[in-house]
Structures are given as C-alpha cells and as structure tokens.
Amino acid sequence: MISLLLFFLILPISTGIYAEDNKKPIRIAYFADDAPWMFTNNEGVADGVLHDLWELWSEKSNVDIQFVVSSPEKIEAQLKGSEVDVLAYTPSGMEDQLRKTGLESVPIHSFTPVLFVRKSSQISSFEEVLAKLRVGYIKGYNCQPCLTSFNADAVNVPFTSSSSMAIAASKHEVDAILGGRTSLSYYLHNLGVNDEFQVVPTPLPLVEVKAVVAPGRPDLVRVIEHGVAKIPDQDRLDLIEEQFRFTHCHPESLVVALETDLSPLSFINALGKPSGLFVDIWNLWSEKQACQLNSEWGLSVKT
C-alpha cells in the first residue's frame, strides 16, 4: 500500500521535472529519411506520422519536446551517452538490435495485424491462407512464432519493412502480407495494386510500436506511459489515418493520372502523397462536385 502511494506521489513530480517553465524538454531522436513515419521535410524540420503522435503526446502531457536528427549508426551511442532521451520509435528492422543492447522500450501505439491477400487466390480465411499461400511478415514484430503456432508448415517470408514487403507483394513474390491495415493500404495504393488485394482478419495479438528510452531512466518511462494513457484510442487512430489520408469506408471512384516529377505542378512529396498545383485544383474540383477521387487517397498518380 505504501509503495503504491509513493508511485502516485512520485509520478506528478517526475512529470513536473520536464514540464516546469519549459526548461527541460525531452529530446526525441528520429531518423531523417524514414518517411512516412518520421523524416526531415523540405523546410528542414521533423515531420511524419509519429512526429504528430509525439506532438499530441506533448499536448496531453504538458511536457515540452525537442526533436533531434539521428541515424541507425549513431542512436545507441546517443542514448547511452545521454545526448538524447528517447528514440521516437523503433523501426521494425532495428528491434532485435536495440533489444540486445539493454535499452528499455515503452509502447506508444498498437495495432491489430491483418492479412492483405491477392483476390486472385480466391482465399478469404486466415487458416486457409497459412495452409496454401506464401505470407510476408515484418521481422521484429514477433508475428512469426504466432503464425507458426497456427500452422507449423506455413510458408512465412520475412521482410525488414512494410514498404519492401508491399513491393514484393506487387511483384507476386508473396501471395499475402501481414501488418497494419492503414500502413499496408498506403504502400499498396502507392504501388497501384491496392485493388488486387482483399483484407482478411486474423486472430493474432496486438502488435506494439515502441519508443526506446535512454538507460537508467525509469522516471522517463513512467512519464511517457502516463502521457500515452492520456491519449484516447480514437484520437490516436484519427491522427494516423489523417496522415495517411485513409479510411476504410470510402468508395471507389474517379482515378486522375498525373505526372510525378513536374514540381511545382504535380509531384510526390516526402510522405509519398500527390502534391502540387494540379493536385490542389483536382481536390477543389472534387470538393465542389462532391465526387470522391479514386477511393481513400483522393488522387491516384500514374506515370
């Protein structure tokens, strides 16, 4: 009872260490070229899906944050040397590497994995997918043991990122891919093959997206956990879907073909989204006509 009381007394004090007079912002490291998750935009500042999630965390926690550019080669030394306090999130290909260093991680988001299965396979059940198809999965998300537990003979193909896995699916190197619905839809759409796949639910447990904390900082772990708990699940989902400009209920509609390298008229920005004057004109036309442009993303760019 006394320990529990002390925990609740210490937690506001720990939070206050970072919030008081904005003197001690949490230094959050990120990788400059990891779009759309986090990257340095054309204006030279941090941007991306998880950038916005951390900004929302900062608002809910009343804790100032400062983004610091890092790299996979430098991040371990920066965390252990107290040059930064947190790595914004752990890219899937680095989870095993960072886990072995003894650095502590803390969940900041989670999602239920789904399968994107080629419609041409005419398979729509999780069990049949594992029995008959080649399934791509992301190393580091710890999904492979779960897949094997359902079917020890399943053909599971590992990948280091969602983007590389989506490319493999577009080239028929795998028949189905496993991951977050929103992010995989984003990558498949950008490859122009989203309509070739159907979503199949899975009974797999939630996958956690984790930040990495400098060693010996239990106070900071508590502060992050406390702030994450303040963010309603719907707010987190809305933020991520807005960044991807994706919802699950938009109907198919008009496809507009635009050049991808005619900046500033039409081009693909750092988030992989259509941008430019022509894009703005078509989006305005869509608004005035109440006509949805190519399903959930508004515009489909075709070269």
Side-chain angles (χ1 to χ4, degrees), residues 94-156:
M94 292 189 64
E95 288 200 346
D96 289 339
Q97 172 190 335
L98 291 174
R99 189 182 298 118
K100 293 175 182 177
T101 65
L103 295 168
E104 189 160 2
S105 61
V106 55
I108 57 172
H109 177 56
S110 63
F111 62 86
T112 301
V114 299
L115 283 166
F116 277 73
V117 182
R118 279 204 168 273
K119 293 177 180 178
S120 59
S121 71
Q122 298 184 329
I123 294 175
S124 58
S125 78
F126 174 73
E127 292 78 10
E128 194 174 4
V129 168
L130 295 187
K132 297 181 179 180
L133 303 181
R134 300 165 298 172
V135 179
Y137 71 96
I138 303 297
K139 291 194 297 185
Y141 283 164
N142 204 33
C143 289
Q144 197 272 339
C146 295
L147 294 173
T148 304
S149 70
F150 281 95
N151 188 328
D153 298 321
V155 179
N156 301 319

Side-chain angles (χ1 to χ4, degrees), residues 42 258-268 274-281:
N42 293 335
L258 293 171
E259 294 289 342
T260 60
D261 57 355
L262 287 181
S263 179
L265 301 178
S266 63
F267 60 97
I268 301 297
S275 297
L277 177 61
F278 289 163
V279 175
D280 292 342
I281 291 173

Side-chain angles (χ1 to χ4, degrees), residues 13 18 23 37 61 64 68 75 97 104 110 139 149 152 171 188 193 207 210 215-216 219 230 253 276-277 285 302:
I13 295 172
Y18 296 97
K23 289 180 180 179
W37 307 108
S61 304
D64 286 340
V68 180
I75 187 60
Q97 172 190 335
E104 189 160 2
S110 63
K139 291 194 297 185
S149 70
K171 295 179 178 179
L188 290 173
V193 296
V207 172
K210 298 179 180 180
D219 60 325
K230 286 184 175 182
S253 189
L277 177 61
W285 177 89
K302 298 185 182 296

Side-chain angles (χ1 to χ4, degrees), residues 54-65:
W54 275 107
E55 290 284 7
L56 179 60
W57 178 91
S58 173
E59 176 187 330
K60 297 291 186 181
S61 304
N62 191 32
V63 174
D64 286 340
I65 56 178

